[in-house]
Amino acid sequence: MASKRRNFSKEFKLEAVALMTSGGFSVAQASRDLGISESVLGRWKRQFMEDPAEAFPGKGRLKLQDEEIASLRR
């Protein structure tokens, strides 16, 4: 049986990352508490650490720099 894909808001993702970075929770502990897989939380944390200002642009949108590159390629 296929499971429905869950969507999370940018605010939720930022709060989850805050639990792991400033809240002192490990990825494993946050995963258990939030009911989200460790791989997803690890990816969110990595995305945030790479570019905090433009992390989680949402709904298929690209980061500003990536949008500019795609536009130039077209």
Side-chain angles (χ1 to χ4, degrees), residues 1-58:
M1 175 185 249
S3 62
K4 184 176 179 187
R5 185 176 180 156
R6 295 166 44 186
N7 292 316
F8 299 97
S9 68
K10 179 177 183 170
E11 292 76 22
F12 181 85
K13 292 176 182 181
L14 290 172
E15 288 181 26
V17 170
L19 278 175
M20 294 178 284
T21 56
S22 60
F25 287 83
S26 67
V27 174
Q29 181 62 45
S31 170
R32 285 189 296 272
D33 291 348
L34 297 172
I36 300 171
S37 74
E38 288 184 41
S39 63
V40 170
L41 287 178
R43 183 175 56 238
W44 291 354
K45 183 178 179 182
R46 188 172 51 256
Q47 288 172 344
F48 180 79
M49 298 308 250
E50 288 173 359
D51 190 1
E54 292 192 37
F56 320 121

Side-chain angles (χ1 to χ4, degrees), residues 62-74:
L62 299 174
K63 294 180 184 177
L64 183 59
Q65 180 181 3
D66 294 335
E67 283 182 18
E68 290 175 358
I69 291 170
S71 175
L72 290 172
R73 285 184 179 157
R74 280 187 243 130

